[in-house]
Amino acid sequence: MTPVRRSSKKPVRLLVGGLLFICVCVGCGNGTSGNRGGGPVAPSLIFSTYLGGSKPCDSCADALTFALNSATDSDGNVYVTGATQVSDLPVRNAVQPQPLAGSMRSAFVTKYDPTGKILWCTYLGGDQENIGIGVAAMPGGGVAVSGLTTADSSGPFPTKNPFQAVNNGQSDYFVAVFDKDGNLQYATYLGGSGIEGEANAVFADDSSNGNNIAVDSQGLVYLTGITASGGSESIPFPGTSNAVQPEFGGMIDAFLAIIDPSKAGRDSLVYASFIGGAQNEKGHGITVNPSGSSITVVGYTQSTDFPTTANGFRSTPAPKGFTSNGFVAQFASSSPGNSSSTYTAAYVTYLGANSSEARDDCYAVTLDPHGLIVVTGRTESADFPMLGSSSPSIYNSAPYLKPRVSNDEPYLVKLNSSLSGADSLVYATFLGGGSTTLGGGGAFCSAVAVDRSGASYVVGETSAQGTLYAYSSEPAEAPQATPFTSDALFPANQGCFDALHMQVSPGGSRLSYSTFLGAADNDRGYGLAVDPSGNVIISGLTYSTNFPLKNPAQAWPGNQGKMNGFVTKLSAGETQKIRSRDK
């Protein structure tokens, strides 16, 4: 990776709240460092932009926009999806240049080049409610997008070569694939006659955390999510004969579906299976190895009979009374893309506290360069599983956490599914920012990525104040403040909620970089991607009119003081790279 260097004599232009500042180094508050005195270069903004509009669509009550997940391709282009209630998004080369009549919310897809210029931007949806949730770059260019829609025959979601041409129920998932120029190649509904997604808040900005779509090197598309369309429904969630779990487990199940967008109609659904026990499950995140032979889904479960495997880190449920545990489910495919492929549950485990008060969730998952599973999420459990004090960890205790009393704290876990039981836990660490009371601080992470060196990155949100991180060779108690590093872009919470970005060393023992990201009002980070050069892309929402901007495609907040999307790209600083080599 080529270091990002900046001469100390060359001014940097930073646009904040519409005002242009010209300075020797990018800084904010105390502790922000640049290239002072010829030292290592700190991470800095490459581009940062608003994404939104000011005019409500015809059926919309307000002009709100939020960005959820983001992805990057081999050329460093950036893709973002989310949802909007505006009629004046900065569309370009659009398949759908405006919201459909009767739309109360539309999904959108936007592609930026590596410098932040919009290459194309399109609405995506039918009438009623539509939201883009997951996004994954296709091999050779283009993007796959997933989301939810209630659009029906009165104003249908735009399909092409679909497996399912109509909405079967109250809300269905959709999968859409675009080529590199933004042309629609494939689009389908996916669901049964019940509810897909969350029943009470399907289209809220925080209704689904984690990237629920992934793509392998063949261009097969992998999807997870939430379904209540069980066997008692007139139209159950679609399944295939080779499903690991062909029968609906309980009240709400997670699912795994695989689509081949190069095929049309019924042939395009390669695989579909339920994942769940007798109670509620939610599939939040998914990842796949390049060949498609190993697929990993994460989420949470409330079931005591979740279908685990004997080799899982913990194959038995927490004691009766627990609120939730996360789950990690890895499946093997004998012949990816073939209808005759055999699928097996290779490693399935509960992940969380083994107590009657457990409240844990897995939001996002990825694989490191060695194929190890990396998971992030949130917990209120002081006894979330950690290794001993002699094992690698940043923070291995958070005694102040108490389910339904304290606010959430994020964690990062690495698992080796080739090992069994306790041996499969490579490392686990709290990340700080928890609290003792619901009225205190709190934080959680909803996205995770890994670079070529094996360093892990997380993005989320925090309402906790900051504390300067100090490396210790021994694991320590996690602070209730959010730790930031000395080279943080923003070393303090700028508003009530700020986006949160952290980098953790490959071995899990050091916080290589941590910063707040935001301005005077609420800001939340949801999406994360790391490009081939190690630069970090963060997407989310902001209520701030002075969100930090750099080379913005949109310099103005579309809806002043209300919700807009943001997309930010940070360089990989030298100090990050040096620390990321540490265990």
Side-chain angles (χ1 to χ4, degrees):
M1 180 174 64
T2 303
V4 177
R5 298 183 181 275
R6 183 171 71 236
S7 168
S8 60
K9 297 180 181 180
K10 183 177 179 180
V12 175
R13 296 172 180 267
L14 181 65
L15 187 63
V16 178
L19 300 177
L20 179 66
F21 293 87
I22 302 177
C23 51
V24 172
C25 62
V26 177
C28 178
N30 56 7
T32 302
S33 60
N35 189 12
R36 296 172 180 164
V41 177
S44 60
L45 294 176
I46 296 174
F47 74 79
S48 186
T49 184
Y50 286 108
L51 178 59
S54 60
K55 298 178 181 178
C57 58
D58 290 343
S59 302
C60 299
D62 207 346
L64 305 179
T65 302
F66 54 90
L68 286 176
N69 283 295
S70 49
T72 184
D73 63 21
S74 59
D75 294 324
N77 298 305
V78 175
Y79 304 86
V80 178
T81 193
T84 185
Q85 295 173 211
V86 307
S87 60
D88 58 341
L89 275 184
V91 295
R92 181 172 298 174
N93 303 321
V95 167
Q96 187 177 333
Q98 58 190 10
L100 197 70
S103 167
M104 293 176 283
R105 186 176 280 113
S106 295
F108 67 82
V109 190
T110 307
K111 180 180 181 179
Y112 299 86
D113 76 5
T115 68
K117 176 185 176 182
I118 293 178
L119 297 177
W120 53 266
C121 176
T122 186
Y123 290 95
L124 180 64
D127 63 3
Q128 302 186 57
E129 297 270 11
N130 309 265
I131 179 175
I133 297 173
V135 60
M138 296 290 287
V143 66
V145 179
S146 62
L148 286 160
T149 180
T150 60
D152 56 23
S153 58
S154 63
F157 187 90
T159 59
K160 186 170 184 179
N161 304 323
F163 162 77
Q164 179 183 319
V166 299
N167 188 335
N168 280 336
Q170 301 175 57
S171 56
D172 276 2
Y173 282 93
F174 68 79
V175 174
V177 177
F178 298 82
D179 69 13
K180 63 183 181 62
D181 298 317
N183 300 307
L184 187 64
Q185 303 296 297
Y186 176 91
T188 187
Y189 288 95
L190 188 67
S193 55
I195 295 174
E196 271 63 54
E198 299 193 48
N200 297 323
V202 171
F203 299 94
D205 61 271
D206 60 352
S207 65
S208 182
N209 294 282
N211 199 348
N212 72 336
I213 196 170
V215 173
D216 70 14
S217 61
Q218 300 181 67
L220 297 176
V221 177
Y222 299 75
L223 179 73
T224 192
I226 308 161
T227 180
S229 298
S232 62
E233 291 289 336
S234 59
I235 305 175
F237 190 87
T240 53
S241 59
N242 53 353
V244 170
Q245 184 181 328
E247 300 297 328
F248 188 67
M251 300 169 65
I252 300 173
D253 272 6
F255 67 84
L256 167 62
I258 306 173
I259 288 173
D260 185 347
S262 70
K263 297 179 180 177
R266 305 296 295 180
D267 292 339
S268 63
L269 183 66
V270 174
Y271 176 79
S273 177
F274 294 110
I275 306 172
Q279 299 299 314
N280 292 330
E281 277 76 34
K282 295 183 179 180
H284 284 317
I286 191 168
T287 191
V288 62
N289 67 348
S291 71
S293 62
S294 181
I295 310 129
T296 307
V297 176
V298 299
Y300 87 69
T301 178
Q302 297 176 326
S303 299
T304 58
D305 60 344
F306 189 79
T308 58
T309 54
N311 62 333
F313 169 71
R314 177 163 61 85
S315 58
T316 57
K320 184 178 180 180
F322 77 99
T323 299
S324 63
N325 267 174
F327 74 78
V328 179
Q330 189 169 84
F331 301 94
S333 171
S334 65
S335 183
N338 293 333
S339 58
S340 60
S341 178
T342 300
Y343 293 84
T344 55
Y347 178 92
V348 185
T349 185
Y350 289 99
L351 184 62
N354 190 9
S355 72
S356 60
E357 292 192 337
R359 184 190 179 280
D360 321 285
D361 201 344
C362 298
Y363 278 143
V365 61
T366 192
L367 301 178
D368 80 357
H370 305 291
L372 303 184
I373 302 167
V374 184
V375 183
T376 194
R378 64 179 180 177
T379 182
E380 289 182 358
S381 304
D383 51 348
F384 190 91
M386 296 283 151
L387 294 170
S389 60
S390 62
S391 299
S393 179
I394 301 169
Y395 306 118
N396 71 343
S397 67
Y400 45 80
L401 294 177
K402 187 173 178 58
R404 297 175 292 278
V405 174
S406 63
N407 276 342
D408 295 300
E409 177 154 338
Y411 64 81
L412 187 69
V413 168
K414 182 175 282 191
L415 296 163
N416 185 344
S417 60
S418 68
L419 302 177
S420 297
D423 292 340
S424 64
L425 183 60
V426 178
Y427 71 71
T429 184
F430 292 107
L431 293 174
S435 72
T436 56
T437 65
L438 287 172
F444 72 86
C445 289
S446 55
V448 66
V450 173
D451 67 17
R452 292 175 178 176
S453 75
S456 298
Y457 302 74
V458 294
V459 156
E461 66 178 62
T462 181
S463 61
Q465 296 304 306
T467 184
L468 181 64
Y469 169 72
Y471 171 72
S472 171
S473 59
E474 298 292 331
E477 180 178 318
Q480 294 178 49
T482 297
F484 63 87
T485 50
S486 59
D487 53 353
L489 186 65
F490 295 102
N493 195 320
Q494 306 297 298
C496 180
F497 280 92
D498 268 10
L500 167 68
H501 165 51
M502 293 179 169
Q503 180 190 358
V504 175
S505 62
S509 65
R510 180 187 288 269
L511 192 60
S512 303
Y513 181 72
S514 181
T515 186
F516 295 90
L517 178 63
D521 215 317
N522 286 339
D523 316 281
R524 297 184 173 186
Y526 289 130
L528 170 67
V530 178
D531 76 9
S533 298
N535 303 309
V536 176
I537 297 96
I538 302 169
S539 54
L541 64 86
T542 177
Y543 286 81
S544 300
T545 57
N546 60 338
F547 191 84
L549 305 180
K550 176 80 176 291
N551 302 323
Q554 180 180 324
W556 54 283
N559 192 356
Q560 292 275 352
K562 294 190 177 181
M563 188 190 296
N564 293 276
F566 75 81
V567 185
T568 297
K569 183 177 180 180
L570 289 167
S571 69
E574 273 189 90
T575 49
Q576 267 183 295
K577 292 188 296 176
I578 292 168
R579 293 183 193 137
S580 73
R581 297 175 192 141
D582 298 329
K583 297 289 186 180

